[in-house]
Amino acid sequence: MKAVDKHKVIKGRPIAAGIVLGNSRVVLPGETQVVEIAVPDSALSGEINALELAVKETVNELNDLRDSAIKKMGGPATKIFEAQLMIAQDTEFLGQVKKDIRSEKLNAAFVYNEHIKKATAPLKSSADTYIRQMALDIEAVAGRIISHLSGKTRKDPVIPPNTVLIGKSFTPGEVLSYRRQKVIGFVVAEGGPDSHMGLIARALYLPVVIAKDLKLSKLVSGQQIILDAIDGKIIFAPTAEEISDYQQRRKRMGPALITRIKHLKEIPPKTRDGVEIPVGGNMTLPGPAEEIMAEKNIPIGLYRSEFLYLAKGTFPDEETQFEHYEQVARKFAGSSVVIRTFDLGYDKMSADDAWPHEENPALGWRGIRPMLEMKSLFKDQIRAILRASSRKNLKILLPMISDISEFDQAKRLIAQVKFELKKKKVQYDENIPIGIMVEVPSTVLIADSLFPKVDFLSIGTNDLTQYILAADRKNSKVAGLYNSFHPAVLQMIKMTVDKAKNCGKPVAVCGEMAGDILALPFFIGLKIDLLSMSPNRIVDLCRTVKKIDSSLVQPLVHSILASSSTSSVIKRLESFKNAIGSRRQKESHFE
Ligand code: PEP
Ligand code: MG
């Protein structure tokens, strides 16, 4: 039956940006389908047997999932299923359910579901996201047990392409499987920006809006819908005007910024006085930006390989990684690609139940740290990179190095993989450069012993700033303190460059600051070997380079390094920026 097209606008909070036009599909929560049935005394044992069987089948399913997770994803993701196995087999809980089936003479599915609702209600209202996540895990297990009790198998429903799914909440696994079915966005009633769903949706570029007052039973499937996860609006049965507005906005947001790279004449750009400033792009998941960069021979200065994990919620196996790295190495045959090994943890995992809960994840198990413990996953990744390296255009970058022993261990593991490949006569680049991210102040303070060991350095100003200033980069309460233009950050960058140049090692910048036009004269003055930035910043940066006279930046660099406050640094840089291209450029830094 065709849905009644009724114009309606619901407001919500976007947690993964984007705007799409599609058709609605409402997914009602399973719990509404669990009906209460009176059971005669003679059939009560049958209900209890059915419950035991359903638990057994669920345990088998979860064991299978855990085993395949061990193979494909390694330690952390298996913890999801271990936790779910414990929930499924909680004997005290099951004993209480069985007791109530007998005393209330009701069907197992209903009694079980009532117990689940009682157990999860206080968890759901907790202020702690970890506890709220626990409620979702319990419900995921209950969903399996109840579907076994009702004799249903858990097959993914068939979803037509171009669907916007509307439901109470979706698990990361559901988001991934719906994405494979070409779902284009989600509207949910529960969750938050740090929910697993938000994390996965952002990595997959799927827009999501949370609308807390969503009345699912009042919504219909099959209606045309605009999901605006920028302004936080869901428009059902949009008017012609709203559709045309949507089309305009799509056009404006499209890849226009990136396609402008095509029109750049000179890459790398040269300053007014002819000094080349090498620029590169940062890559997350493959997309149109990489195609254009490859065409223009712009290197990838930072390939955030962890997005291969985040996009799937599982560690990609060696073969899958090899295909990705091989493809990118082939595409960038005319330039180079710096592949950063998995940089997981903190904001790139901490909201996921597959990762251990940490009180202080920014100072916890992140970057190189977990990978040195999950050695076989690290080696799988290194093997995949090495196998794709025969064109000699790949480099390995190790994230979050804070101690020399971490670099030594990683290097040993890389040497082991090389040795194994050699024995098998597999081709690879024997001299593949191995570099480190400079993100932790300790790295710079031990530069004299550490830097001579590495092949190159890449300054991650995003993390370096948060660790120098003790200001969490994602905490809005300290956003006023988190500033990469703080004189201490600039001093640390200068120190890194000096130490690197002293031992003849190339040094890049790949944090957000690399693409900031305000910082450009500083980096030109420091003679950074590569500025690698988000691709949509490349065009403006290249155009600005051409207007700067590199001979004029040294006094500016001296003056900002002598500044005692962030505001005076910014004032000097702004005054220089405003004067770029004019004769005032020369005097601007004295203002
Ligand atoms: C950085 O910290 O500056 C960096 C480039 O790494 P990420 O932003 O991925 O942590
Ligand atoms: Mg970082």
Side-chain angles (χ1 to χ4, degrees), residues 231-280:
D231 290 345
K233 261 193 297 185
I234 308 131
I235 309 174
F236 290 88
T239 60
E241 210 175 302
E242 283 164 334
I243 292 178
S244 128
D245 176 56
Y246 152 81
Q247 279 157 347
Q248 300 290 329
R249 288 180 63 195
R250 277 294 295 195
K251 246 192 234 155
R252 281 202 301 273
M253 303 175 39
L257 257 180
I258 290 154
T259 46
R260 278 167 50 208
I261 294 179
K262 273 191 185 164
H263 309 300
L264 285 173
K265 296 233 163 56
E266 197 176 50
I267 291 183
K270 284 199 190 100
T271 59
R272 251 162 82 162
D273 50 333
V275 178
E276 260 184 17
I277 306 297
V279 295

Side-chain angles (χ1 to χ4, degrees), residues 282 302 304 306-307 340 343 346-348 366 400 437-439 458-464 473 482 509-513:
N282 294 348
L302 171 67
R304 289 182 162 105
E306 60 274 10
F307 275 79
R340 181 171 72 182
D343 181 20
Y346 175 56
D347 56 334
K348 282 184 274 187
R366 62 169 305 209
M400 277 286 294
M437 293 282 293
V438 176
E439 300 176 282
S458 192
I459 307 177
T461 49
N462 308 338
D463 276 315
L464 189 62
R473 65 194 252 196
Y482 178 92
V509 178
C510 66
E512 282 305 293
M513 200 180 183

Side-chain angles (χ1 to χ4, degrees), residues 25 155-161 163 165 178 181 183:
R25 167 130 183 175
K155 278 205 189 109
D156 290 335
V158 178
I159 306 281
T163 294
L165 278 186
Y178 285 133
Q181 298 188 60
V183 161

Side-chain angles (χ1 to χ4, degrees), residues 171-238:
T171 65
E174 284 170 333
V175 174
L176 285 161
S177 77
Y178 285 133
R179 188 227 191 195
R180 280 193 284 276
Q181 298 188 60
K182 309 269 185 281
V183 161
I184 54 171
F186 294 87
V187 179
V188 286
E190 289 177 4
D194 290 341
S195 65
H196 304 171
M197 188 204 181
L199 192 93
I200 297 286
R202 284 195 293 277
L204 296 174
Y205 305 105
L206 286 171
V208 180
V209 169
I210 301 181
K212 296 232 185 270
D213 307 321
L214 211 58
K215 302 250 175 340
L216 290 178
S217 55
K218 299 247 157 63
L219 300 174
V220 280
S221 295
Q223 264 192 325
Q224 203 173 34
I225 179 175
I226 291 175
L227 172 61
D228 177 351
I230 288 168
D231 290 345
K233 261 193 297 185
I234 308 131
I235 309 174
F236 290 88

Side-chain angles (χ1 to χ4, degrees), residues 10 39 43 54 95 109-110 134 140 180 235 263 270 353 393 471 506:
I10 296 179
V39 177
F110 181 78
M134 218 150 83
R180 280 193 284 276
I235 309 174
H263 309 300
K270 284 199 190 100
D353 51 6
N393 64 338

